[in-house]
Coordinates of all heavy atoms in Angstrom, one line a residue:
M1005 N -20.6 -13.9 -69.6 CA -19.9 -13.6 -71.0 C -18.4 -14.1 -70.7 O -17.8 -13.8 -69.8 CB -20.0 -12.3 -71.3 CG -21.5 -12.0 -71.8 SD -21.8 -10.2 -72.2 CE -20.4 -9.6 -72.9
D1006 N -17.8 -14.6 -71.9 CA -16.4 -14.9 -71.8 C -15.6 -13.6 -72.2 O -16.1 -12.7 -72.7 CB -16.0 -16.1 -72.6 CG -16.4 -15.9 -74.1 OD1 -17.2 -14.9 -74.4 OD2 -16.0 -16.8 -75.0
I1007 N -14.3 -13.8 -71.9 CA -13.3 -12.6 -72.0 C -13.3 -12.3 -73.5 O -13.2 -11.1 -73.9 CB -12.0 -12.8 -71.4 CG1 -12.2 -13.1 -70.0 CG2 -11.0 -11.8 -71.6 CD1 -12.6 -12.0 -69.1
K1008 N -13.2 -13.0 -74.5 CA -13.1 -12.9 -75.8 C -14.2 -12.1 -76.4 O -14.0 -11.1 -77.1 CB -13.0 -14.2 -76.6 CG -12.7 -14.0 -78.1 CD -12.3 -15.2 -78.7 CE -12.1 -15.3 -80.2 NZ -11.7 -13.9 -80.7
R1009 N -15.5 -12.5 -75.9 CA -16.7 -11.7 -76.5 C -16.5 -10.2 -75.9 O -17.0 -9.2 -76.6 CB -17.9 -12.3 -76.0 CG -18.3 -13.7 -76.9 CD -19.6 -14.2 -76.6 NE -20.5 -13.2 -76.7 CZ -21.8 -13.4 -76.4 NH1 -22.2 -14.4 -75.7 NH2 -22.7 -12.6 -76.6
V1010 N -16.2 -10.2 -74.7 CA -16.1 -8.7 -74.2 C -15.1 -8.0 -74.9 O -15.3 -6.7 -75.3 CB -15.9 -8.8 -72.6 CG1 -15.6 -7.3 -72.2 CG2 -17.0 -9.4 -71.9
K1011 N -13.8 -8.5 -75.1 CA -13.0 -7.9 -75.8 C -13.4 -7.5 -77.2 O -13.1 -6.5 -77.7 CB -11.7 -8.7 -75.9 CG -10.4 -8.2 -76.6 CD -9.3 -9.1 -76.5 CE -8.1 -8.6 -77.3 NZ -7.0 -9.4 -77.4
D1012 N -14.0 -8.5 -77.9 CA -14.4 -8.2 -79.2 C -15.4 -7.1 -79.2 O -15.5 -6.2 -80.3 CB -15.0 -9.5 -79.8 CG -14.0 -10.6 -80.3 OD1 -12.8 -10.1 -80.4 OD2 -14.3 -11.7 -80.5
S1013 N -16.4 -7.1 -78.5 CA -17.4 -5.9 -78.4 C -16.9 -4.7 -78.1 O -17.1 -3.6 -78.7 CB -18.5 -6.3 -77.5 OG -18.1 -6.2 -76.0
I1014 N -15.8 -4.5 -77.1 CA -15.2 -3.3 -77.0 C -14.4 -2.8 -78.2 O -14.4 -1.6 -78.4 CB -14.2 -3.5 -75.7 CG1 -15.1 -3.5 -74.4 CG2 -13.2 -2.3 -75.6 CD1 -14.3 -3.9 -73.2
Y1015 N -13.7 -3.8 -78.8 CA -12.9 -3.4 -80.1 C -14.0 -2.9 -81.1 O -13.7 -2.0 -81.8 CB -12.2 -4.7 -80.6 CG -11.5 -4.4 -81.9 CD1 -10.3 -3.6 -81.8 CD2 -11.9 -4.8 -83.1 CE1 -9.5 -3.3 -83.0 CE2 -11.3 -4.6 -84.2 CZ -10.2 -3.7 -84.2 OH -9.5 -3.4 -85.3
W1016 N -15.1 -3.6 -81.2 CA -16.1 -3.2 -82.2 C -16.7 -1.8 -81.9 O -16.8 -0.9 -82.8 CB -17.2 -4.1 -82.2 CG -18.4 -3.8 -83.2 CD1 -18.3 -4.0 -84.5 CD2 -19.5 -3.2 -83.0 NE1 -19.4 -3.6 -85.2 CE2 -20.2 -2.9 -84.3 CE3 -20.2 -2.6 -81.9 CZ2 -21.5 -2.4 -84.3 CZ3 -21.5 -2.2 -82.0 CH2 -22.1 -2.0 -83.2
L1017 N -16.9 -1.4 -80.7 CA -17.3 -0.2 -80.2 C -16.3 0.9 -80.5 O -16.6 2.0 -81.0 CB -17.7 0.0 -78.7 CG -19.0 -0.9 -78.4 CD1 -19.1 -0.8 -76.9 CD2 -20.3 -0.1 -79.0
Y1018 N -15.0 0.5 -80.3 CA -14.0 1.5 -80.5 C -13.9 1.7 -82.1 O -13.6 2.8 -82.5 CB -12.6 1.0 -80.0 CG -11.4 1.8 -80.4 CD1 -11.3 3.1 -79.7 CD2 -10.6 1.6 -81.3 CE1 -10.2 4.0 -80.0 CE2 -9.4 2.3 -81.5 CZ -9.3 3.5 -81.0 OH -8.2 4.3 -81.2
Y1019 N -14.0 0.6 -82.8 CA -13.9 0.7 -84.3 C -15.2 1.7 -84.8 O -14.9 2.6 -85.7 CB -14.0 -0.6 -84.9 CG -13.9 -0.6 -86.4 CD1 -12.6 -0.2 -87.0 CD2 -15.0 -0.9 -87.3 CE1 -12.4 -0.2 -88.3 CE2 -14.8 -0.9 -88.6 CZ -13.6 -0.5 -89.3 OH -13.4 -0.5 -90.6
Q1020 N -16.3 1.5 -84.2 CA -17.5 2.4 -84.7 C -17.1 3.9 -84.3 O -17.5 4.6 -84.9 CB -18.7 1.9 -83.9 CG -19.2 0.6 -84.3 CD -19.6 0.6 -85.8 OE1 -20.3 1.5 -86.2 NE2 -19.2 -0.4 -86.5
Y1021 N -16.5 4.1 -83.1 CA -16.0 5.4 -82.8 C -15.1 6.0 -83.7 O -15.3 7.2 -84.1 CB -15.5 5.4 -81.4 CG -14.6 6.6 -81.0 CD1 -15.3 7.8 -80.7 CD2 -13.3 6.5 -81.0 CE1 -14.5 9.0 -80.4 CE2 -12.6 7.7 -80.6 CZ -13.3 8.8 -80.3 OH -12.4 10.0 -80.0
L1022 N -14.2 5.2 -84.2 CA -13.2 5.7 -85.2 C -14.0 6.0 -86.5 O -13.6 7.0 -87.1 CB -12.1 4.6 -85.4 CG -11.1 4.4 -84.3 CD1 -10.2 3.3 -84.7 CD2 -10.4 5.7 -84.0
L1023 N -14.9 5.1 -86.9 CA -15.5 5.6 -88.1 C -16.5 6.7 -88.0 O -16.5 7.5 -89.0 CB -16.5 4.2 -88.5 CG -15.7 3.0 -89.0 CD1 -16.6 1.8 -89.2 CD2 -14.9 3.2 -90.3
I1024 N -17.2 6.8 -86.9 CA -18.1 8.0 -86.8 C -17.2 9.3 -86.7 O -17.8 10.2 -87.4 CB -18.9 7.7 -85.5 CG1 -19.9 6.6 -85.8 CG2 -19.7 9.1 -85.2 CD1 -20.7 6.3 -84.5
T1025 N -16.1 9.3 -86.0 CA -15.5 10.6 -86.0 C -14.4 10.7 -87.0 O -13.8 11.8 -87.1 CB -14.7 10.6 -84.6 OG1 -13.7 9.5 -84.6 CG2 -15.5 10.5 -83.5
C1026 N -14.3 9.7 -88.0 CA -13.4 9.8 -89.1 C -12.0 10.0 -88.6 O -11.0 10.5 -89.4 CB -13.7 10.9 -90.0 SG -15.2 10.6 -90.9
S1027 N -11.7 9.5 -87.4 CA -10.2 9.7 -87.0 C -9.4 8.5 -87.3 O -8.2 8.6 -87.1 CB -10.2 9.8 -85.3 OG -10.8 8.7 -84.8
Y1028 N -10.0 7.5 -88.0 CA -9.1 6.5 -88.5 C -8.1 6.9 -89.5 O -7.1 6.3 -89.9 CB -10.0 5.2 -89.0 CG -10.8 5.5 -90.0 CD1 -10.4 5.3 -91.4 CD2 -12.1 6.0 -89.9 CE1 -11.0 5.6 -92.5 CE2 -12.9 6.3 -91.0 CZ -12.4 6.1 -92.3 OH -13.2 6.3 -93.4
V1029 N -8.4 8.0 -90.1 CA -7.6 8.5 -91.4 C -6.5 9.4 -90.8 O -5.6 9.8 -91.6 CB -8.4 9.2 -92.4 CG1 -9.3 8.3 -93.0 CG2 -9.2 10.5 -91.8
L1030 N -6.5 9.6 -89.5 CA -5.4 10.6 -88.8 C -4.1 9.8 -88.6 O -4.2 8.5 -88.5 CB -5.9 11.1 -87.6 CG -7.1 12.0 -87.8 CD1 -7.6 12.4 -86.2 CD2 -7.0 13.3 -88.6
E1031 N -3.1 10.4 -88.5 CA -1.8 9.9 -88.1 C -1.8 9.6 -86.8 O -2.7 10.1 -86.0 CB -0.7 10.8 -88.4 CG -0.5 10.9 -90.0 CD 0.8 12.0 -90.3 OE1 1.5 12.2 -89.3 OE2 0.9 12.4 -91.4
P1032 N -1.0 8.8 -86.3 CA -1.1 8.3 -84.8 C -0.9 9.6 -83.8 O -1.7 9.5 -82.8 CB 0.1 7.4 -84.6 CG 0.3 6.8 -85.9 CD -0.1 7.9 -86.9
W1033 N -0.2 10.4 -84.1 CA 0.0 11.5 -83.1 C -1.2 12.5 -83.2 O -1.6 13.1 -82.2 CB 1.3 12.4 -83.4 CG 1.3 13.1 -84.7 CD1 1.6 12.8 -85.9 CD2 0.9 14.6 -84.9 NE1 1.6 13.7 -86.9 CE2 1.1 14.8 -86.2 CE3 0.3 15.5 -84.1 CZ2 0.7 16.0 -86.8 CZ3 0.0 16.7 -84.5 CH2 0.1 17.0 -85.9
E1034 N -1.8 12.5 -84.3 CA -3.0 13.3 -84.6 C -4.3 12.6 -83.8 O -5.1 13.3 -83.1 CB -3.4 13.5 -86.0 CG -2.4 14.4 -86.8 CD -2.8 14.5 -88.2 OE1 -3.1 13.5 -88.8 OE2 -2.4 15.4 -88.9
Q1035 N -4.1 11.2 -83.9 CA -5.3 10.6 -83.3 C -5.3 10.8 -81.7 O -6.2 10.9 -81.0 CB -5.1 9.1 -83.5 CG -5.7 8.6 -84.8 CD -5.8 7.2 -84.9 OE1 -5.2 6.4 -84.0 NE2 -6.5 6.6 -85.9
S1036 N -4.0 10.7 -81.1 CA -3.7 10.9 -79.7 C -4.1 12.3 -79.3 O -4.9 12.5 -78.2 CB -2.3 10.7 -79.2 OG -1.5 11.6 -79.9
M1037 N -3.8 13.3 -80.1 CA -4.3 14.6 -79.8 C -5.8 14.8 -79.7 O -6.5 15.4 -78.9 CB -3.6 15.7 -80.7 CG -2.2 15.9 -80.5 SD -1.7 16.5 -79.0 CE -2.5 18.1 -79.1
F1038 N -6.4 14.3 -80.8 CA -7.9 14.3 -81.0 C -8.6 13.5 -79.8 O -9.5 14.0 -79.4 CB -8.3 13.6 -82.4 CG -9.7 13.5 -82.6 CD1 -10.3 14.7 -83.0 CD2 -10.4 12.3 -82.4 CE1 -11.7 14.7 -83.2 CE2 -11.8 12.4 -82.7 CZ -12.4 13.5 -83.1
H1039 N -8.1 12.4 -79.5 CA -8.7 11.6 -78.3 C -8.6 12.4 -77.0 O -9.5 12.4 -76.2 CB -8.0 10.2 -78.2 CG -8.2 9.3 -79.5 ND1 -9.5 9.3 -80.1 CD2 -7.5 8.5 -80.1 CE1 -9.5 8.4 -81.1 NE2 -8.2 8.0 -81.1
T1040 N -7.5 13.1 -76.8 CA -7.1 13.8 -75.6 C -8.1 15.0 -75.6 O -8.8 15.2 -74.4 CB -5.7 14.3 -75.6 OG1 -4.8 13.3 -75.7 CG2 -5.5 15.2 -74.5
I1041 N -8.4 15.7 -76.6 CA -9.3 16.7 -76.7 C -10.7 16.2 -76.4 O -11.5 16.9 -75.6 CB -9.2 17.6 -78.0 CG1 -7.9 18.2 -78.2 CG2 -10.4 18.5 -78.1 CD1 -7.6 18.8 -79.5
I1042 N -11.1 15.2 -77.1 CA -12.4 14.6 -76.8 C -12.7 14.2 -75.4 O -13.7 14.5 -74.9 CB -12.7 13.3 -77.8 CG1 -12.7 13.8 -79.2 CG2 -14.0 12.6 -77.5 CD1 -13.9 14.7 -79.5
V1043 N -11.7 13.5 -74.8 CA -11.9 13.0 -73.4 C -11.9 14.3 -72.4 O -12.8 14.3 -71.5 CB -10.7 12.1 -73.1 CG1 -10.6 11.9 -71.5 CG2 -10.8 10.8 -73.6
T1044 N -11.1 15.2 -72.8 CA -11.2 16.5 -72.0 C -12.5 17.3 -72.0 O -13.1 17.6 -70.9 CB -10.0 17.5 -72.3 OG1 -8.7 16.7 -72.3 CG2 -10.0 18.8 -71.5
V1045 N -13.0 17.4 -73.3 CA -14.4 18.0 -73.4 C -15.5 17.1 -72.7 O -16.3 17.7 -72.0 CB -14.7 18.2 -74.9 CG1 -16.1 18.6 -75.1 CG2 -13.8 19.3 -75.4
F1046 N -15.3 15.8 -72.8 CA -16.4 14.9 -72.2 C -16.3 15.1 -70.7 O -17.3 15.1 -70.0 CB -16.1 13.5 -72.6 CG -17.3 12.7 -72.1 CD1 -18.4 12.6 -72.6 CD2 -16.9 11.7 -71.1 CE1 -19.4 11.8 -72.0 CE2 -17.7 10.7 -70.5 CZ -19.0 10.8 -70.9
A1047 N -15.1 15.1 -70.2 CA -14.9 15.2 -68.6 C -15.5 16.6 -68.2 O -16.0 16.7 -67.2 CB -13.5 15.0 -68.3
M1048 N -15.3 17.7 -68.9 CA -15.7 19.0 -68.6 C -17.2 19.0 -68.6 O -17.8 19.6 -67.7 CB -15.1 20.2 -69.4 CG -13.7 20.3 -69.1 SD -12.8 21.4 -70.2 CE -13.9 22.3 -71.1
V1049 N -17.8 18.3 -69.6 CA -19.4 18.3 -69.6 C -19.9 17.5 -68.5 O -21.0 18.0 -67.8 CB -19.7 17.7 -70.9 CG1 -21.3 17.4 -71.0 CG2 -19.5 18.7 -72.1
V1050 N -19.3 16.4 -68.1 CA -19.8 15.5 -67.0 C -19.7 16.3 -65.8 O -20.6 16.3 -64.8 CB -19.0 14.2 -67.0 CG1 -19.2 13.5 -65.7 CG2 -19.5 13.4 -68.2
Y1051 N -18.5 17.0 -65.5 CA -18.3 17.8 -64.3 C -19.3 18.9 -64.2 O -19.9 19.1 -63.2 CB -17.0 18.3 -64.2 CG -16.6 19.2 -63.1 CD1 -16.5 18.7 -61.8 CD2 -16.6 20.6 -63.2 CE1 -16.2 19.5 -60.7 CE2 -16.4 21.4 -62.2 CZ -16.3 20.8 -60.8 OH -16.0 21.7 -59.8
T1052 N -19.5 19.7 -65.3 CA -20.5 20.7 -65.2 C -21.9 20.2 -64.9 O -22.6 20.8 -64.0 CB -20.5 21.4 -66.6 OG1 -19.0 21.9 -66.9 CG2 -21.4 22.7 -66.6
A1053 N -22.2 19.1 -65.5 CA -23.5 18.6 -65.3 C -23.6 18.1 -63.7 O -24.6 18.2 -63.1 CB -23.9 17.3 -66.2
Y1054 N -22.6 17.6 -63.2 CA -22.7 17.2 -61.8 C -22.7 18.3 -60.9 O -23.4 18.2 -59.8 CB -21.4 16.3 -61.6 CG -21.1 15.8 -60.1 CD1 -21.9 14.9 -59.6 CD2 -20.3 16.5 -59.2 CE1 -21.9 14.4 -58.3 CE2 -20.2 16.1 -57.9 CZ -20.9 15.0 -57.4 OH -20.8 14.6 -56.2
V1055 N -22.2 19.4 -61.2 CA -22.1 20.5 -60.3 C -23.4 21.4 -60.4 O -23.9 21.7 -59.5 CB -20.8 21.3 -60.6 CG1 -20.9 22.7 -59.8 CG2 -19.6 20.6 -60.1
F1056 N -23.7 21.7 -61.7 CA -24.8 22.7 -61.8 C -26.2 22.1 -62.2 O -27.1 22.9 -61.9 CB -24.4 23.6 -63.0 CG -23.2 24.4 -62.8 CD1 -22.1 24.2 -63.4 CD2 -23.2 25.4 -61.7 CE1 -20.9 24.9 -63.1 CE2 -22.2 26.2 -61.6 CZ -20.9 26.0 -62.2
V1057 N -26.5 21.0 -62.6 CA -27.7 20.4 -62.8 C -28.6 20.3 -61.6 O -29.6 20.7 -61.6 CB -27.6 19.1 -63.6 CG1 -29.0 18.4 -63.7 CG2 -27.2 19.5 -65.1
P1058 N -28.0 19.6 -60.5 CA -28.8 19.8 -59.2 C -29.4 21.0 -58.7 O -30.4 21.2 -58.2 CB -27.8 19.0 -58.2 CG -26.9 18.2 -59.1 CD -26.7 19.1 -60.4
I1059 N -28.4 22.0 -58.8 CA -28.8 23.3 -58.4 C -30.0 23.9 -59.2 O -31.0 24.4 -58.7 CB -27.6 24.3 -58.5 CG1 -26.5 24.0 -57.6 CG2 -28.0 25.7 -58.3 CD1 -25.2 24.7 -57.8
H1060 N -29.9 23.6 -60.5 CA -31.0 24.2 -61.5 C -32.3 23.4 -61.3 O -33.5 23.9 -61.3 CB -30.5 24.1 -63.0 CG -29.6 25.1 -63.2 ND1 -28.2 25.1 -63.0 CD2 -29.8 26.4 -63.8 CE1 -27.7 26.1 -63.5 NE2 -28.5 27.1 -63.9
V1061 N -32.1 22.1 -61.0 CA -33.4 21.3 -60.7 C -34.0 21.7 -59.4 O -35.3 21.8 -59.3 CB -33.0 19.8 -60.6 CG1 -34.1 18.9 -60.0 CG2 -32.6 19.3 -62.0
R1062 N -33.3 22.1 -58.4 CA -33.9 22.6 -57.1 C -34.5 23.8 -57.3 O -35.6 24.1 -56.9 CB -32.6 22.6 -56.0 CG -33.2 23.0 -54.6 CD -32.1 23.2 -53.6 NE -31.1 24.1 -54.0 CZ -31.1 25.5 -53.9 NH1 -32.2 26.0 -53.4 NH2 -30.1 26.3 -54.4
L1063 N -33.8 24.8 -58.0 CA -34.5 26.2 -58.3 C -35.8 26.0 -59.1 O -36.7 26.6 -58.9 CB -33.3 27.0 -59.0 CG -32.2 27.5 -58.1 CD1 -31.2 28.2 -58.9 CD2 -32.8 28.3 -56.9
A1064 N -35.8 25.0 -60.1 CA -36.9 25.0 -60.9 C -38.0 24.2 -60.1 O -39.2 24.7 -60.1 CB -36.6 23.9 -62.0
F1065 N -37.7 23.4 -59.1 CA -38.7 22.8 -58.3 C -39.3 23.9 -57.3 O -40.5 23.8 -57.2 CB -38.1 21.7 -57.4 CG -39.1 21.0 -56.5 CD1 -40.0 20.2 -56.9 CD2 -39.0 21.3 -55.1 CE1 -40.9 19.7 -56.1 CE2 -39.9 20.7 -54.2 CZ -40.8 19.9 -54.6
E1066 N -38.5 24.7 -56.7 CA -38.9 25.9 -56.0 C -39.9 26.6 -56.6 O -40.8 27.2 -56.1 CB -37.8 26.6 -55.2 CG -36.9 25.7 -54.2 CD -35.8 26.5 -53.7 OE1 -35.6 27.7 -54.0 OE2 -35.0 25.9 -52.9
F1067 N -39.5 27.0 -57.9 CA -40.3 28.0 -58.7 C -41.6 27.3 -59.1 O -42.6 28.0 -58.7 CB -39.5 28.2 -59.9 CG -40.3 29.1 -61.0 CD1 -40.4 30.4 -60.8 CD2 -40.7 28.5 -62.1 CE1 -41.0 31.2 -61.6 CE2 -41.5 29.3 -63.1 CZ -41.6 30.7 -62.8
F1068 N -41.7 26.2 -59.5 CA -42.9 25.6 -59.8 C -43.8 25.3 -58.6 O -45.1 25.4 -58.7 CB -42.7 24.3 -60.7 CG -42.2 24.6 -62.0 CD1 -41.1 24.2 -62.6 CD2 -43.1 25.4 -62.9 CE1 -40.7 24.6 -63.8 CE2 -42.8 25.7 -64.2 CZ -41.4 25.4 -64.6
S1069 N -43.2 25.0 -57.5 CA -43.8 24.8 -56.2 C -44.6 26.1 -55.8 O -45.7 26.1 -55.2 CB -43.1 24.1 -55.1 OG -42.1 25.0 -54.6
Q1070 N -43.9 27.3 -56.0 CA -44.5 28.6 -55.6 C -45.6 28.9 -56.6 O -46.7 29.5 -56.2 CB -43.5 29.5 -55.7 CG -42.5 29.6 -54.5 CD -41.4 30.7 -54.6 OE1 -41.6 31.5 -55.4 NE2 -40.6 30.8 -53.5
I1071 N -45.5 28.6 -57.8 CA -46.5 28.8 -59.0 C -47.8 28.1 -58.6 O -49.0 28.5 -58.7 CB -46.1 28.6 -60.3 CG1 -45.0 29.7 -60.7 CG2 -47.1 28.6 -61.4 CD1 -44.4 29.5 -62.0
F1072 N -47.7 26.7 -58.3 CA -48.8 25.9 -58.1 C -49.3 25.8 -56.8 O -49.8 25.0 -56.3 CB -48.5 24.4 -58.6 CG -48.2 24.4 -60.0 CD1 -47.0 24.0 -60.6 CD2 -49.3 24.8 -60.9 CE1 -46.7 24.1 -62.0 CE2 -49.1 24.8 -62.3 CZ -47.8 24.5 -62.8
G1073 N -49.1 26.8 -55.9 CA -49.7 27.0 -54.6 C -48.9 26.3 -53.4 O -49.5 26.1 -52.4
G1074 N -47.7 26.0 -53.6 CA -47.0 25.5 -52.4 C -46.7 26.6 -51.3 O -46.7 27.8 -51.7
Q1075 N -46.4 26.1 -50.2 CA -46.2 27.1 -49.1 C -44.8 27.8 -49.2 O -43.9 27.0 -49.5 CB -46.2 26.3 -47.7 CG -47.7 25.9 -47.4 CD -48.6 27.0 -47.1 OE1 -48.3 28.1 -46.6 NE2 -49.9 26.8 -47.4
P1076 N -44.6 29.0 -49.0 CA -43.4 29.6 -49.0 C -42.4 29.1 -47.9 O -43.1 28.7 -46.8 CB -43.6 31.2 -48.9 CG -44.9 31.2 -48.3 CD -45.7 30.0 -48.7
E1077 N -41.2 29.2 -48.0 CA -40.3 28.6 -47.1 C -40.4 29.4 -45.7 O -40.4 28.7 -44.6 CB -38.9 28.6 -47.5 CG -38.5 27.6 -48.6 CD -37.2 27.5 -49.0 OE1 -36.4 28.1 -48.3 OE2 -36.9 26.9 -50.0
S1078 N -40.4 30.6 -45.7 CA -40.5 31.4 -44.5 C -41.9 32.1 -44.4 O -42.1 33.0 -45.1 CB -39.4 32.4 -44.4 OG -39.5 33.3 -45.5
T1079 N -42.8 31.6 -43.5 CA -44.1 32.1 -43.3 C -44.1 32.7 -41.8 O -44.8 32.4 -41.0 CB -45.2 31.1 -43.4 OG1 -44.9 30.1 -42.6 CG2 -45.2 30.6 -44.9
V1080 N -43.2 33.7 -41.7 CA -43.2 34.5 -40.3 C -44.1 35.6 -40.3 O -44.4 36.3 -41.2 CB -41.7 35.0 -40.0 CG1 -41.7 35.6 -38.7 CG2 -40.7 33.8 -40.1

């Protein structure tokens, strides 16, 4: 792909984002505040998923393996 097509597609996605969030009607300082809040919330969600989802998946796997007849970890 050439640079112009990539640039156009990124611009088109950004324009769709502006339309979906209705932030194209905001003033420039309001847009920057809105985008800052959106990026912050998105970063917090990604971080939380990165930290806590693996723990919950492991616990769910241990729970279901005990239910369906798996061997307990300590069989002393």
Side-chain angles (χ1 to χ4, degrees):
M1005 287 179 29
D1006 59 347
I1007 302 298
K1008 183 169 174 28
R1009 285 187 57 196
V1010 171
K1011 183 179 172 183
D1012 288 342
S1013 70
I1014 290 173
Y1015 180 75
W1016 181 79
L1017 288 173
Y1018 178 70
Y1019 186 68
Q1020 292 296 316
Y1021 163 75
L1022 290 177
L1023 289 175
I1024 289 171
T1025 60
C1026 296
S1027 61
Y1028 63 93
V1029 297
L1030 300 174
E1031 292 182 14
W1033 70 271
E1034 293 173 328
Q1035 275 187 354
S1036 66
M1037 291 297 293
F1038 179 75
H1039 296 319
T1040 302
I1041 292 169
I1042 292 295
V1043 167
T1044 303
V1045 168
F1046 181 74
M1048 289 175 12
V1049 166
V1050 168
Y1051 175 75
T1052 303
Y1054 176 74
V1055 170
F1056 292 111
V1057 168
I1059 295 169
H1060 286 82
V1061 168
R1062 183 182 54 84
L1063 290 174
F1065 178 72
E1066 289 176 5
F1067 174 75
F1068 286 117
S1069 68
Q1070 287 178 359
I1071 287 178
F1072 294 120
Q1075 293 291 328
E1077 288 184 14
S1078 62
T1079 55
V1080 177

